[in-house]
Amino acid sequence: MADLDCTDRTLLRMLQQDGTLALAELAEAVNLTTTPCWKRLKRLEESGILRQRVALLDPVKLGLSFTAFVQIKTSNHSKEWYHSFVETVSDFPEVMEFYRMAGEYDYMMKVQVADMAAFDLFYKKLVNSIEGLTNVTSTFAMEPLKYTTALPV
């Protein structure tokens, strides 16, 4: 892990729980004044450890409660195809996460949509946008049991 001391780790844990905490609250929690605390946060941002601060939305309350995991196999592994594929999939707002995998499938994505009909539209758009897919398999989440964005620092 990066050169993080106990204070850095505490700040990161706190920000992962609530990115809106005021500098004064953070500083007090780690027994620093605001200037050294701000300098630590700035260093964490500049190093790329603290990438961004975002708001987490509730997909159910937004009508996006249908979660699908899509696994893809392809016969084309050229550099050109790969870049085109990644660019195409990255443009789909329904794709929340997207990975190149080791194992039976080449790629996996997490898709968040309203319902099965919306997923069907997504699926058709996906398979008609990309040549060279040999197998597209989808599984659907019935109930989220754990979800976190907090890394174990």
Side-chain angles (χ1 to χ4, degrees), residues 51-116:
R51 293 191 322 198
Q52 64 189 59
R53 301 179 203 194
V54 300
L56 299 177
L57 308 180
D58 186 323
V60 173
K61 291 181 180 176
L62 291 169
L64 299 168
S65 60
F66 192 88
T67 305
F69 296 92
V70 180
Q71 296 174 300
I72 295 174
K73 289 183 185 180
T74 182
S75 58
N76 191 338
H77 297 279
S78 72
K79 183 178 180 180
E80 297 79 22
W81 183 89
Y82 169 81
H83 288 295
S84 175
F85 176 60
V86 170
E87 185 177 324
T88 299
V89 171
S90 295
D91 285 342
F92 287 109
E94 302 92 339
V95 176
M96 305 306 296
E97 298 178 46
F98 181 36
Y99 302 94
R100 187 170 61 88
M101 305 296 289
E104 184 178 350
Y105 289 90
D106 299 309
Y107 301 93
M108 183 171 74
M109 61 186 78
K110 177 183 174 186
V111 176
Q112 198 77 39
V113 292
D115 52 26
M116 181 59 84

Side-chain angles (χ1 to χ4, degrees), residues 112-139:
Q112 198 77 39
V113 292
D115 52 26
M116 181 59 84
F119 178 77
D120 188 45
L121 290 173
F122 165 81
Y123 177 88
K124 289 172 184 171
K125 187 170 61 167
L126 174 71
V127 298
N128 289 312
S129 298
I130 302 159
E131 296 291 325
L133 304 181
T134 58
N135 186 342
V136 179
T137 300
S138 302
T139 55

Side-chain angles (χ1 to χ4, degrees), residues 40-60:
R40 281 178 178 266
L41 293 173
K42 192 75 175 153
R43 180 179 47 80
L44 292 167
E45 288 173 344
E46 289 171 356
S47 71
I49 292 171
L50 181 54
R51 293 191 322 198
Q52 64 189 59
R53 301 179 203 194
V54 300
L56 299 177
L57 308 180
D58 186 323
V60 173

Side-chain angles (χ1 to χ4, degrees), residues 1-9 12 40 43-44 47 49 153:
M1 210 180 283
D3 291 333
L4 301 175
D5 63 17
C6 184
T7 301
D8 292 333
R9 292 175 198 280
L12 292 173
R40 281 178 178 266
R43 180 179 47 80
L44 292 167
S47 71
I49 292 171
V153 294

